Amino acid sequence: MEKFRTLLNFVLRQHTTLGYSFLALATAGGEQLFSVVVFNCPCNSWNFIYSMVFLLVPALVLFLLGYFISNRTWKLCTGCCINQVKLCSKRIALRGIKIFVQITMGALVAPVTWISVALLNGMIYECGMSGPYNNYLNRFCSNSSYKKCHQNLYYVPCGHSSLPQSIQTDIRHLLHAHSQIIGWSLIAAITVFALASTCIVRCYSPVSFLQLQFWKTYKEKENEVLEMKSVEHAKEMAERNVKSFFESVAPKPFKTPSRGAWEEISMLYTYSETDQYYSTIHKYAEKKIENTHVSSSFVNVDIPAVLDFVDGNKHPADSHI
Protein backbone atom coordinates (compact mmCIF):
# COMPACT_ATOMS: atom_id res chain seq x y z
CA MET A 1 0.00 0.00 0.00
CA GLU A 2 2.84 2.38 0.85
CA LYS A 3 4.50 1.74 -2.54
CA PHE A 4 1.19 2.35 -4.30
CA ARG A 5 0.74 5.66 -2.43
CA THR A 6 4.27 6.70 -3.38
CA LEU A 7 3.57 5.91 -7.04
CA LEU A 8 0.26 7.80 -6.90
CA ASN A 9 1.93 10.86 -5.39
CA PHE A 10 4.59 10.78 -8.10
CA VAL A 11 1.93 10.62 -10.82
CA LEU A 12 0.03 13.53 -9.27
CA ARG A 13 3.17 15.65 -8.99
CA GLN A 14 4.26 14.90 -12.56
CA HIS A 15 0.82 14.88 -14.19
CA THR A 16 1.72 17.64 -16.66
CA THR A 17 4.91 15.96 -17.84
CA LEU A 18 3.16 12.58 -18.00
CA GLY A 19 0.31 14.19 -19.90
CA TYR A 20 2.69 15.59 -22.49
CA SER A 21 4.44 12.21 -22.71
CA PHE A 22 1.17 10.35 -23.22
CA LEU A 23 0.08 12.87 -25.87
CA ALA A 24 3.40 12.47 -27.69
CA LEU A 25 3.25 8.67 -27.53
CA ALA A 26 -0.35 8.61 -28.76
CA THR A 27 0.55 10.89 -31.66
CA ALA A 28 3.62 8.78 -32.51
CA GLY A 29 1.52 5.61 -32.47
CA GLY A 30 -1.09 7.24 -34.70
CA GLU A 31 1.57 8.32 -37.18
CA GLN A 32 3.03 4.82 -37.36
CA LEU A 33 -0.44 3.34 -37.91
CA PHE A 34 -1.22 5.83 -40.67
CA SER A 35 2.13 5.21 -42.34
CA VAL A 36 1.50 1.46 -42.47
CA VAL A 37 -2.24 1.41 -43.25
CA VAL A 38 -3.00 4.64 -45.14
CA PHE A 39 0.18 6.01 -46.71
CA ASN A 40 0.74 4.74 -50.24
CA CYS A 41 3.25 6.63 -52.35
CA PRO A 42 1.85 7.23 -55.89
CA CYS A 43 5.34 6.94 -57.45
CA ASN A 44 4.73 9.56 -60.11
CA SER A 45 4.85 13.35 -60.46
CA TRP A 46 2.48 13.61 -57.44
CA ASN A 47 5.10 12.26 -55.05
CA PHE A 48 6.02 15.61 -53.49
CA ILE A 49 2.47 17.00 -53.18
CA TYR A 50 1.10 13.72 -51.78
CA SER A 51 3.87 13.49 -49.20
CA MET A 52 3.53 17.11 -48.09
CA VAL A 53 -0.24 16.73 -47.69
CA PHE A 54 0.20 13.57 -45.64
CA LEU A 55 2.89 15.22 -43.50
CA LEU A 56 1.38 18.67 -42.93
CA VAL A 57 -2.42 18.27 -43.04
CA PRO A 58 -2.63 15.84 -40.07
CA ALA A 59 -0.19 18.11 -38.22
CA LEU A 60 -2.48 21.08 -38.92
CA VAL A 61 -5.53 19.12 -37.70
CA LEU A 62 -3.71 18.16 -34.50
CA PHE A 63 -2.63 21.78 -34.04
CA LEU A 64 -6.19 23.10 -34.34
CA LEU A 65 -7.45 20.28 -32.13
CA GLY A 66 -5.00 21.48 -29.47
CA TYR A 67 -6.81 24.83 -29.44
CA PHE A 68 -10.21 23.17 -29.40
CA ILE A 69 -9.60 20.95 -26.34
CA SER A 70 -7.84 23.68 -24.34
CA ASN A 71 -9.95 25.10 -21.50
CA ARG A 72 -7.90 28.29 -21.61
CA THR A 73 -8.96 28.91 -25.22
CA TRP A 74 -12.63 29.02 -24.27
CA LYS A 75 -11.98 30.94 -21.06
CA LEU A 76 -10.21 33.55 -23.16
CA CYS A 77 -12.80 33.68 -25.95
CA THR A 78 -16.11 33.27 -24.12
CA GLY A 79 -17.95 36.57 -23.99
CA CYS A 80 -15.11 38.59 -25.55
CA CYS A 81 -17.35 39.84 -28.38
CA ILE A 82 -19.93 41.45 -26.06
CA ASN A 83 -17.91 42.19 -22.92
CA GLN A 84 -17.00 45.87 -23.22
CA VAL A 85 -14.16 45.56 -20.70
CA LYS A 86 -12.48 42.86 -22.78
CA LEU A 87 -13.13 44.76 -25.98
CA CYS A 88 -11.87 48.16 -24.87
CA SER A 89 -8.98 47.45 -22.53
CA LYS A 90 -5.61 47.39 -24.27
CA ARG A 91 -3.99 45.76 -21.23
CA ILE A 92 -6.51 42.92 -21.32
CA ALA A 93 -5.91 42.57 -25.07
CA LEU A 94 -2.17 42.27 -24.45
CA ARG A 95 -2.80 39.74 -21.68
CA GLY A 96 -5.04 37.80 -24.07
CA ILE A 97 -2.34 37.77 -26.75
CA LYS A 98 0.16 36.46 -24.20
CA ILE A 99 -2.19 33.65 -23.16
CA PHE A 100 -2.91 32.86 -26.83
CA VAL A 101 0.83 32.43 -27.45
CA GLN A 102 1.05 30.09 -24.43
CA ILE A 103 -1.91 28.05 -25.70
CA THR A 104 -0.21 27.87 -29.09
CA MET A 105 2.98 26.50 -27.53
CA GLY A 106 0.99 23.74 -25.86
CA ALA A 107 -0.96 23.00 -29.05
CA LEU A 108 2.31 22.48 -30.94
CA VAL A 109 3.22 19.32 -28.97
CA ALA A 110 1.11 16.91 -31.04
CA PRO A 111 1.90 18.30 -34.55
CA VAL A 112 5.64 18.55 -33.84
CA THR A 113 5.57 14.95 -32.58
CA TRP A 114 3.74 13.86 -35.75
CA ILE A 115 6.28 15.55 -38.03
CA SER A 116 9.27 14.29 -36.01
CA VAL A 117 8.11 10.67 -35.99
CA ALA A 118 7.25 10.85 -39.70
CA LEU A 119 10.75 12.12 -40.46
CA LEU A 120 12.39 9.46 -38.29
CA ASN A 121 10.35 6.81 -40.10
CA GLY A 122 11.62 8.12 -43.45
CA MET A 123 8.82 6.79 -45.66
CA ILE A 124 7.15 10.14 -46.32
CA TYR A 125 10.43 11.95 -46.97
CA GLU A 126 11.60 9.16 -49.26
CA CYS A 127 8.44 9.40 -51.31
CA GLY A 128 8.35 13.20 -51.40
CA MET A 129 11.97 13.68 -52.37
CA SER A 130 12.09 10.93 -55.00
CA GLY A 131 11.95 12.80 -58.27
CA PRO A 132 14.02 14.81 -60.78
CA TYR A 133 13.19 18.00 -58.82
CA ASN A 134 15.61 16.83 -56.11
CA ASN A 135 18.87 18.53 -57.06
CA TYR A 136 20.88 16.24 -54.79
CA LEU A 137 19.55 13.12 -56.56
CA ASN A 138 20.12 14.82 -59.91
CA ARG A 139 23.78 15.14 -59.01
CA PHE A 140 23.66 11.53 -57.88
CA CYS A 141 22.30 10.50 -61.28
CA SER A 142 24.84 12.67 -63.08
CA ASN A 143 27.56 10.52 -61.60
CA SER A 144 25.74 7.37 -62.65
CA SER A 145 26.32 5.64 -65.97
CA TYR A 146 22.64 4.65 -66.16
CA LYS A 147 21.01 6.82 -68.85
CA LYS A 148 17.40 6.72 -67.58
CA CYS A 149 18.26 7.51 -63.98
CA HIS A 150 16.38 10.84 -63.87
CA GLN A 151 13.17 9.41 -65.32
CA ASN A 152 13.12 6.49 -62.89
CA LEU A 153 13.59 8.45 -59.67
CA TYR A 154 9.79 8.64 -59.17
CA TYR A 155 9.51 4.86 -58.96
CA VAL A 156 12.24 4.23 -56.39
CA PRO A 157 9.93 4.25 -53.28
CA CYS A 158 7.68 1.58 -54.82
CA GLY A 159 10.52 -0.65 -56.01
CA HIS A 160 9.24 -0.44 -59.61
CA SER A 161 12.18 1.50 -60.95
CA SER A 162 14.24 -0.01 -63.73
CA LEU A 163 17.37 1.34 -62.08
CA PRO A 164 19.87 -1.26 -60.91
CA GLN A 165 19.04 -2.55 -57.43
CA SER A 166 22.29 -1.22 -56.02
CA ILE A 167 21.44 2.34 -57.16
CA GLN A 168 17.89 2.08 -55.77
CA THR A 169 19.25 0.88 -52.43
CA ASP A 170 21.76 3.71 -52.29
CA ILE A 171 19.10 6.30 -53.07
CA ARG A 172 16.69 4.96 -50.44
CA HIS A 173 19.42 4.79 -47.80
CA LEU A 174 20.45 8.35 -48.65
CA LEU A 175 16.91 9.70 -48.40
CA HIS A 176 16.27 7.85 -45.12
CA ALA A 177 19.48 9.30 -43.71
CA HIS A 178 18.46 12.83 -44.72
CA SER A 179 15.00 12.34 -43.20
CA GLN A 180 16.31 11.05 -39.89
CA ILE A 181 18.91 13.81 -39.60
CA ILE A 182 16.16 16.42 -40.05
CA GLY A 183 13.92 14.56 -37.58
CA TRP A 184 16.56 14.32 -34.85
CA SER A 185 17.56 17.94 -35.44
CA LEU A 186 13.95 19.02 -34.96
CA ILE A 187 13.62 17.00 -31.76
CA ALA A 188 16.89 18.42 -30.41
CA ALA A 189 15.86 22.00 -31.22
CA ILE A 190 12.46 21.60 -29.55
CA THR A 191 14.04 19.98 -26.47
CA VAL A 192 16.61 22.77 -26.09
CA PHE A 193 13.92 25.42 -26.56
CA ALA A 194 11.61 23.78 -23.99
CA LEU A 195 14.42 23.45 -21.44
CA ALA A 196 15.63 27.01 -21.97
CA SER A 197 12.14 28.53 -21.78
CA THR A 198 11.30 26.55 -18.63
CA CYS A 199 14.54 27.66 -16.95
CA ILE A 200 13.92 31.30 -17.86
CA VAL A 201 10.32 31.15 -16.60
CA ARG A 202 11.42 29.59 -13.30
CA CYS A 203 14.24 32.12 -12.87
CA TYR A 204 11.70 34.97 -12.92
CA SER A 205 9.29 33.28 -10.52
CA PRO A 206 8.14 35.70 -7.78
CA VAL A 207 7.42 32.82 -5.39
CA SER A 208 9.59 30.10 -3.94
CA PHE A 209 9.71 26.54 -5.24
CA LEU A 210 7.71 25.10 -2.32
CA GLN A 211 5.04 27.80 -2.51
CA LEU A 212 4.75 27.20 -6.25
CA GLN A 213 4.22 23.48 -5.60
CA PHE A 214 1.57 24.32 -2.98
CA TRP A 215 -0.06 26.77 -5.40
CA LYS A 216 -0.36 24.09 -8.08
CA THR A 217 -1.76 21.60 -5.56
CA TYR A 218 -4.29 24.15 -4.36
CA LYS A 219 -5.40 24.92 -7.92
CA GLU A 220 -5.85 21.23 -8.72
CA LYS A 221 -7.94 20.68 -5.58
CA GLU A 222 -9.97 23.82 -6.25
CA ASN A 223 -10.80 22.57 -9.75
CA GLU A 224 -11.85 19.20 -8.34
CA VAL A 225 -14.02 20.74 -5.61
CA LEU A 226 -15.55 23.26 -8.05
CA GLU A 227 -16.53 20.50 -10.45
CA MET A 228 -17.97 18.36 -7.66
CA LYS A 229 -19.89 21.25 -6.08
CA SER A 230 -21.17 22.38 -9.48
CA VAL A 231 -22.66 18.93 -10.07
CA GLU A 232 -24.22 18.88 -6.59
CA HIS A 233 -25.58 22.42 -6.92
CA ALA A 234 -27.00 21.77 -10.38
CA LYS A 235 -28.66 18.57 -9.15
CA GLU A 236 -30.25 20.30 -6.14
CA MET A 237 -31.47 23.17 -8.32
CA ALA A 238 -32.88 20.78 -10.92
CA GLU A 239 -34.68 18.72 -8.24
CA ARG A 240 -36.18 21.92 -6.76
CA ASN A 241 -37.47 23.18 -10.12
CA VAL A 242 -38.79 19.80 -11.29
CA LYS A 243 -40.55 19.26 -7.95
CA SER A 244 -42.13 22.69 -8.23
CA PHE A 245 -43.33 21.88 -11.76
CA PHE A 246 -44.93 18.53 -10.96
CA GLU A 247 -46.45 19.59 -7.63
CA SER A 248 -47.61 22.97 -8.98
CA VAL A 249 -46.29 24.83 -5.96
CA ALA A 250 -44.00 27.80 -5.57
CA PRO A 251 -40.37 26.70 -5.29
CA LYS A 252 -38.46 27.24 -2.07
CA PRO A 253 -35.86 30.01 -2.00
CA PHE A 254 -32.61 28.75 -3.45
CA LYS A 255 -29.30 30.59 -3.32
CA THR A 256 -27.21 30.41 -6.46
CA PRO A 257 -24.32 32.57 -7.71
CA SER A 258 -25.35 35.58 -9.77
CA ARG A 259 -24.24 36.19 -13.32
CA GLY A 260 -21.89 38.86 -12.02
CA ALA A 261 -20.31 36.36 -9.61
CA TRP A 262 -19.72 33.87 -12.41
CA GLU A 263 -18.21 36.67 -14.49
CA GLU A 264 -15.84 37.65 -11.69
CA ILE A 265 -14.47 34.14 -11.14
CA SER A 266 -14.19 33.64 -14.91
CA MET A 267 -11.90 36.65 -15.31
CA LEU A 268 -8.25 36.17 -16.17
CA TYR A 269 -6.10 35.77 -13.09
CA THR A 270 -4.31 38.93 -11.92
CA TYR A 271 -1.14 38.74 -9.89
CA SER A 272 -0.49 41.17 -7.05
CA GLU A 273 2.60 41.38 -4.87
CA THR A 274 0.60 42.88 -2.00
CA ASP A 275 -2.55 40.71 -2.03
CA GLN A 276 -1.85 36.99 -2.15
CA TYR A 277 -4.69 35.28 -3.97
CA TYR A 278 -4.24 31.78 -5.34
CA SER A 279 -7.08 32.04 -7.87
CA THR A 280 -9.99 34.18 -8.98
CA ILE A 281 -12.30 32.17 -6.69
CA HIS A 282 -9.96 32.80 -3.76
CA LYS A 283 -9.96 36.51 -4.60
CA TYR A 284 -13.75 36.57 -4.90
CA ALA A 285 -14.16 34.84 -1.53
CA GLU A 286 -11.79 37.25 0.24
CA LYS A 287 -13.45 40.26 -1.36
CA LYS A 288 -16.82 38.87 -0.35
CA ILE A 289 -15.67 38.83 3.27
CA GLU A 290 -14.64 42.48 2.88
CA ASN A 291 -17.99 43.19 1.19
CA THR A 292 -16.30 44.54 -1.95
CA HIS A 293 -16.37 43.50 -5.59
CA VAL A 294 -13.55 42.29 -7.78
CA SER A 295 -12.69 45.03 -10.22
CA SER A 296 -12.62 43.95 -13.88
CA SER A 297 -11.25 47.24 -15.17
CA PHE A 298 -7.60 46.37 -14.61
CA VAL A 299 -5.66 43.27 -15.43
CA ASN A 300 -1.97 43.00 -14.72
CA VAL A 301 -0.48 42.04 -18.07
CA ASP A 302 2.86 41.38 -16.40
CA ILE A 303 1.71 38.26 -14.54
CA PRO A 304 4.73 35.95 -14.14
CA ALA A 305 4.70 33.15 -16.72
CA VAL A 306 5.33 30.57 -14.00
CA LEU A 307 1.81 31.28 -12.68
CA ASP A 308 0.03 30.71 -15.96
CA PHE A 309 -1.52 27.49 -14.65
CA VAL A 310 -3.78 29.53 -12.35
CA ASP A 311 -6.09 30.52 -15.22
CA GLY A 312 -7.68 27.12 -14.93
CA ASN A 313 -6.78 24.11 -17.01
CA LYS A 314 -7.27 20.37 -16.94
CA HIS A 315 -5.69 19.44 -20.23
CA PRO A 316 -1.92 18.87 -20.03
CA ALA A 317 -1.31 21.12 -22.97
CA ASP A 318 -2.68 24.02 -20.99
CA SER A 319 -0.09 23.86 -18.23
CA HIS A 320 3.39 25.23 -18.25
CA ILE A 321 5.96 22.65 -17.26
Side-chain angles (χ1 to χ4, degrees):
M1 180 61 70
E2 188 64 29
K3 292 182 179 180
F4 176 76
R5 187 179 294 108
T6 302
L7 178 61
L8 179 61
N9 291 335
F10 172 79
V11 172
L12 292 175
R13 287 195 305 268
Q14 303 295 330
H15 76 285
T16 299
T17 303
L18 293 176
Y20 275 118
S21 300
F22 176 78
L23 180 62
L25 288 174
T27 305
E31 196 284 329
Q32 288 293 317
L33 181 63
F34 268 67
S35 295
V36 174
V37 178
V38 179
F39 186 77
N40 187 17
C41 186
C43 294
N44 53 36
S45 59
W46 284 84
N47 280 8
F48 183 78
I49 296 176
Y50 179 84
S51 299
M52 290 301 100
V53 168
F54 195 92
L55 181 67
L56 299 179
V57 171
L60 177 62
V61 172
L62 291 171
F63 179 63
L64 297 177
L65 188 61
Y67 283 116
F68 184 78
I69 64 178
S70 171
N71 288 334
R72 299 182 76 192
T73 301
W74 306 117
K75 186 171 184 177
L76 180 65
C77 296
T78 302
C80 65
C81 293
I82 61 175
N83 190 318
Q84 294 301 316
V85 174
K86 292 183 177 180
L87 285 173
C88 299
S89 175
K90 292 183 179 180
R91 296 185 68 85
I92 292 182
L94 291 174
R95 171 79 171 125
I97 292 173
K98 181 181 178 182
I99 293 178
F100 179 78
V101 171
Q102 293 159 357
I103 296 172
T104 301
M105 297 303 295
L108 283 172
V109 173
V112 168
T113 301
W114 174 278
I115 294 174
S116 299
V117 173
L119 290 173
L120 291 178
N121 182 284
M123 291 178 57
I124 297 177
Y125 186 88
E126 177 190 342
C127 175
M129 300 307 293
S130 294
Y133 44 77
N134 189 330
N135 292 329
Y136 193 89
L137 292 186
N138 282 334
R139 291 197 299 269
F140 185 91
C141 285
S142 297
N143 297 328
S144 173
S145 59
Y146 193 75
K147 296 181 180 180
K148 297 183 179 180
C149 179
H150 294 279
Q151 294 85 344
N152 280 271
L153 290 176
Y154 286 126
Y155 309 108
V156 170
C158 300
H160 299 156
S161 176
S162 59
L163 291 170
Q165 190 62 40
S166 60
I167 295 180
Q168 293 188 52
T169 302
D170 290 343
I171 291 175
R172 299 187 68 174
H173 286 171
L174 181 66
L175 293 176
H176 272 258
H178 286 177
S179 180
Q180 291 174 351
I181 289 173
I182 296 173
W184 280 118
S185 299
L186 178 61
I187 293 174
I190 295 299
T191 303
V192 171
F193 175 79
L195 178 60
S197 61
T198 302
C199 291
I200 293 173
V201 166
R202 290 300 182 96
C203 285
Y204 285 93
S205 173
V207 299
S208 65
F209 173 77
L210 291 179
Q211 185 179 6
L212 183 61
Q213 295 299 106
F214 169 79
W215 204 323
K216 290 183 178 181
T217 302
Y218 167 80
K219 187 57 186 175
E220 291 172 5
K221 296 302 179 183
E222 183 186 80
N223 288 338
E224 293 175 6
V225 173
L226 177 62
E227 184 174 354
M228 180 182 65
K229 291 296 183 181
S230 296
V231 172
E232 293 178 358
H233 191 80
K235 182 180 179 181
E236 292 174 4
M237 189 175 183
E239 289 176 347
R240 163 189 177 268
N241 294 337
V242 172
K243 182 178 180 180
S244 173
F245 171 76
F246 281 106
E247 296 181 359
S248 299
V249 295
K252 296 179 181 180
F254 187 84
K255 291 185 177 181
T256 189
S258 64
R259 187 178 65 84
W262 284 109
E263 180 67 26
E264 289 180 2
I265 69 168
S266 298
M267 291 167 53
L268 297 175
Y269 173 76
T270 59
Y271 174 74
S272 173
E273 294 184 356
T274 56
D275 299 322
Q276 181 172 285
Y277 300 119
Y278 289 110
S279 67
T280 52
I281 293 181
H282 183 200
K283 185 175 183 178
Y284 176 83
E286 294 295 334
K287 294 295 183 180
K288 198 70 173 178
I289 295 175
E290 301 171 6
N291 197 26
T292 59
H293 292 285
V294 180
S295 173
S296 60
S297 61
F298 175 77
V299 173
N300 182 10
V301 72
D302 296 323
I303 175 175
V306 75
L307 301 178
D308 290 329
F309 65 90
V310 183
D311 273 324
N313 41 67
K314 296 179 183 178
H315 188 266
D318 294 343
S319 302
H320 198 290
I321 298 177

